[in-house]
């Protein structure tokens, strides 16, 4: 049974940066589309970014409008970790961030129901 574990959350001032990391046991990242989602209590879960393997052209990423230009999703540690580099953080980025995995397919979408595996989340708080 696959298991995802997130780390790297914390408290940061507006304009600051954080790097979230997701590692897995029981899952081969290369066989999965991977994504980051976030959720604030009382609000719907929101997709942040996802990445998928294209084959000859390597990994591709898809980002939500709220993340474009500020956040980068990428695989690290020879593909055994999924990172989310977040720069220029804003108070509205405050949320619990979750890593998710779905079986490989062409492309990826930020639709939570497509993802089979979820981590427990890591809290990101942006505040002065």
């Amino acid at each position: 049974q696959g298991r995802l574990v997130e780390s790297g959350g914390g408290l940061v001032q507006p304009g600051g940066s954080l790097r979230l990391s997701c590692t897995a046991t029981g899952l081969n990242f290369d066989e999965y589309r991977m994504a980051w989602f976030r959720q604030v209590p009382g609000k719907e879960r929101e997709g942040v970014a996802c990445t998928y393997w294209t084959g000859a052209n390597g990994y591709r990423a898809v980002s939500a409008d709220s993340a474009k230009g500020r956040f980068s999703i990428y695989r690290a540690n020879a593909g055994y970790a999924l990172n989310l580099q977040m720069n220029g953080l804003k108070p509205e980025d405050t949320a619990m961030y979750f890593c998710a995995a779905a079986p490989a397919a062409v492309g990826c979408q930020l639709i939570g129901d497509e993802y089979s595996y979820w981590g427990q989340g890591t809290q990101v708080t942006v505040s002065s």
Side-chain angles (χ1 to χ4, degrees):
Q1 185 73 16
R3 180 170 175 259
L4 302 176
V5 178
E6 304 93 337
S7 62
L11 173 64
V12 63
Q13 293 187 343
S17 298
L18 280 176
R19 184 176 66 197
L20 306 184
S21 186
C22 173
T23 56
T25 56
L27 290 179
N28 181 345
F29 272 13
D30 285 344
E31 299 175 358
Y32 289 83
R33 294 168 285 164
M34 302 296 299
W36 286 97
F37 288 80
R38 65 186 184 186
Q39 190 166 24
V40 175
K43 293 188 176 182
E44 289 190 3
R45 182 173 53 199
E46 176 189 13
V48 177
C50 60
T51 180
Y52 63 99
W53 175 247
T54 67
N57 294 319
Y59 290 104
R60 291 285 175 85
V62 174
S63 297
D65 288 344
S66 60
K68 288 178 181 176
R70 300 189 300 128
F71 297 179
S72 292
I73 185 172
Y74 62 97
R75 305 205 185 203
N77 294 343
Y80 289 96
L82 178 73
N83 287 356
L84 183 69
Q85 178 66 43
M86 303 188 295
N87 300 326
L89 283 161
K90 305 174 182 179
E92 51 264 43
D93 294 317
T94 295
M96 184 73 78
Y97 284 71
F98 298 90
C99 176
V106 176
C108 65
Q109 297 184 79
L110 296 174
I111 300 173
D113 289 346
E114 292 191 358
Y115 293 82
S116 309
Y117 296 97
W118 292 84
Q120 294 299 305
T122 185
Q123 177 68 36
V124 172
T125 302
V126 185
S127 175
S128 55

